[in-house]
């Protein structure tokens, strides 16, 4: 097996993996989400096409009852994939009001998509007719282009396919270059840039191969040169598919990274949220459950659950103010200052002391009274609030019951007793 054949297996596997990864969202997603379906159709079509180019599949099909069958299947699946990618171009722009102004490049993309369906059918029909009539298939080929270099029938057949492929690649390169310039989010700009680069490779691939085939009809090249040219252009096409697969997946990787951050936030917030919800069982929509159970509640999106937990914690802290003694905030701040010299750690540690001590006050049977002072919060948005609560939750795990009870005692007894506050213990 040559390095080129090995790379062919790797790229085919990569495209298949991406197609399988995106399949659930494409098949069972929102009916209105045409973009995911179009992109998945493109991945699935190109995955099949790439597998027909791998050594074992290529040789097996080409030596079957239909000589060079791998070539025809590859071009069938690639044509369908190209139609899907042109649909993706239109879907990525979204919708515009019927009576509103539609940008010129969007109108162009829609026109291309309408023409592409008819062009795809015409291309498939013409490829089939040419394949079974003018292509010399007396002997199975391994590398179709190099093996048939100089034959006018194979040249005509491949020119039809390359015309369709090259035109689609040029349209994609143009449209995605414009979209790259307009993209505001970095991960989307990177992804579109990689896909644009892949399509420019595609244009060069089709033009160079078409020129090679027609020049070969006039001046047939040596077998060594033809094979070398075929290998170089095949390697370029594998690079194309690598950039395309990765580029189209970059936004999804960004979304996956966000889901991972949300999952970590749930893990870190759970203990604090659970204890507060146990103290105020009427607060949450559903009774608080174990971390494993909460993480497997698939009826609520992770971002909504984290936002809900943040709101639950804030509401519970507001209720705790009516059970906390007046001097609890000052006592908690002094305890935090003794535990750390870092102001960035002192703030969440103060909140953690305050929450645990206020919970102890409520559990001891203290009557609800006037709201006690609480530290001012400075989060700019919901993500900032969640990040702040994650730091508070981490500090909360480090505050044991004994230090928190000492803080509560100091707050109720007065300043003279605050010097007896013990240092932080690790909670069990």
């Amino acid at each position: 097996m040559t390095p080129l054949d090995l790379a062919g297996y790797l790229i085919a596997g990569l495209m298949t993996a991406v197609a399988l990864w995106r399949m659930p969202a494409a098949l069972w997603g929102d009916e209105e989400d045409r973009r995911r379906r179009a992109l998945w159709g493109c991945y699935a079509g190109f995955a099949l096409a790439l597998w027909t180019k791998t050594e074992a599949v290529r040789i097996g099909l080409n030596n079957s009852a239909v000589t060079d069958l791998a070539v025809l299947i590859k071009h069938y699946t690639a044509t369908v994939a190209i139609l899907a990618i042109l649909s993706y171009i239109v879907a990525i722009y979204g919708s515009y009001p019927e009576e509103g102004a539609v940008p010129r490049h969007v109108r162009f993309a829609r026109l291309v998509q309408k023409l592409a369906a008819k062009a795809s059918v015409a291309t498939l029909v013409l490829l089939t007719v040419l394949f079974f009539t003018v292509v010399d298939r007396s002997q199975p080929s391994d590398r179709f282009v190099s093996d048939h270099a100089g034959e006018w029938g194979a040249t005509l057949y491949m020119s039809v396919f390359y015309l369709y492929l090259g035109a689609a690649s040029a349209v994609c390169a143009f449209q995605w270059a414009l979209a790259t310039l307009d993209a505001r989010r970095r991960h989307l700009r990177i992804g579109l840039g990689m896909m644009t680069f892949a399509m420019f490779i595609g244009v060069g691939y089709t033009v160079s191969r078409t020129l090679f085939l027609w020049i070969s009809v006039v001046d047939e090249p040596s077998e060594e040169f033809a094979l070398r040219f075929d290998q170089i252009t095949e390697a370029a096409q594998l690079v194309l598919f690598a950039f395309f697969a990765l580029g189209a997946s970059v936004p999804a990787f960004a979304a996956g990274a966000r889901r991972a951050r949300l999952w970590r936030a749930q893990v870190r917030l759970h203990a604090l949220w659970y204890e507060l919800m146990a103290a105020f069982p009427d607060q949450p929509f559903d009774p608080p459950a174990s971390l494993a159970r909460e993480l497997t509640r698939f009826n609520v999106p992770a971002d909504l659950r984290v936002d809900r937990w943040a709101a639950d914690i804030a509401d519970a802290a507001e209720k705790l103010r009516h059970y906390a003694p007046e001097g609890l905030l000052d006592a908690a701040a002094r305890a935090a200052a003794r535990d750390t010299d870092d102001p960035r750690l002192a703030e969440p540690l103060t909140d953690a002391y305050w929450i645990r001590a206020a919970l102890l006050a409520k559990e001891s049977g203290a009557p609800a009274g006037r709201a006690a002072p609480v530290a001012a919060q400075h989060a700019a948005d919901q993500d900032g609030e969640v990040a702040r609560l994650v730091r508070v939750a981490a500090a909360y795990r480090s505050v044991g019951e004994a230090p928190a009870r000492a803080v509560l005692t100091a707050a109720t007894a007065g300043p003279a007793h605050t010097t007896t506050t013990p240092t932080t213990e690790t909670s069990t």
Side-chain angles (χ1 to χ4, degrees), residues 57-59 63 126 131 133 142 167 186 197 203 207 239 263 269 300 315 325 328 334 358 380 399 408:
V57 178
R58 181 179 74 237
I59 293 176
N63 289 275
L126 189 54
F131 183 81
T133 56
D142 182 42
R186 184 175 65 176
F197 178 69
V203 173
V207 171
V239 174
W263 184 83
L269 287 175
V300 179
D315 290 344
L328 184 58
R334 288 191 294 270
V399 176
L408 178 61

Side-chain angles (χ1 to χ4, degrees), residues 138-286:
S138 57
Q139 295 291 332
S141 62
D142 182 42
R143 297 287 182 180
F144 187 82
V145 169
S146 60
D147 291 346
H148 291 274
E151 299 177 10
W152 72 269
T155 298
L156 180 60
Y157 170 84
M158 293 301 300
S159 295
V160 171
F161 177 70
Y162 286 150
L163 176 63
Y164 180 80
L165 176 62
S169 299
V171 170
C172 291
F174 172 72
Q175 295 289 336
W176 287 339
L178 293 178
T180 301
L181 296 175
D182 294 337
R184 296 182 179 180
R185 290 178 293 180
R186 184 175 65 176
H187 64 268
L188 183 59
R189 186 166 58 252
I190 293 173
L192 286 170
M194 294 175 69
M195 294 168 68
T196 302
F197 178 69
M199 291 302 103
F200 276 116
I201 295 178
V203 173
Y205 171 85
T206 56
V207 171
S208 63
R209 284 206 153 200
T210 303
L211 290 175
F212 168 78
L213 286 169
W214 282 107
I215 292 174
S216 298
V217 172
V218 178
D219 183 14
E220 185 173 349
S222 66
E223 182 178 341
E224 181 182 359
F225 177 82
L227 180 60
R228 184 62 176 166
F229 177 84
D230 183 85
Q231 291 173 339
I232 292 173
T233 51
E234 280 295 310
Q237 190 183 56
L238 293 178
V239 174
L240 179 161
F241 281 115
F243 272 90
F244 176 74
L246 296 175
S249 301
V250 166
F253 289 149
R258 174 169 171 76
R259 284 194 293 269
R261 289 195 298 270
L262 290 170
W263 184 83
R264 289 196 301 269
Q266 292 178 76
V267 172
R268 294 170 180 174
L269 287 175
H270 180 265
L272 175 61
W273 174 79
Y274 185 90
E275 290 194 25
L276 288 172
M277 295 307 98
F280 300 99
D282 296 334
Q283 176 69 40
F285 286 99
D286 298 308

Side-chain angles (χ1 to χ4, degrees), residues 400-421:
E401 180 178 340
R405 192 172 296 279
V407 168
L408 178 61
T409 301
T412 54
H417 295 77
T418 60
T419 57
T420 61
T421 304

Side-chain angles (χ1 to χ4, degrees), residues 280 316-325 354 358 369-374:
F280 300 99
E318 184 65 26
K319 292 178 180 179
L320 279 177
R321 293 179 63 190
H322 295 276
Y323 298 92
W354 188 93
R370 188 176 62 180
V374 68

Side-chain angles (χ1 to χ4, degrees), residues 25-26 29-39 91:
D30 190 340
E31 289 295 329
E32 299 297 325
D33 196 352
R34 295 183 301 148
R35 184 173 62 182
R36 290 182 180 178
R37 286 181 174 80
L39 190 58

Side-chain angles (χ1 to χ4, degrees), residues 71-81 124-125 127-128 132 161:
V71 176
L72 189 61
I73 294 177
K74 175 181 66 177
H75 292 157
Y76 278 174
T77 53
T79 300
V80 174
L124 291 173
V125 171
L127 286 175
T128 304
F132 287 104
F161 177 70

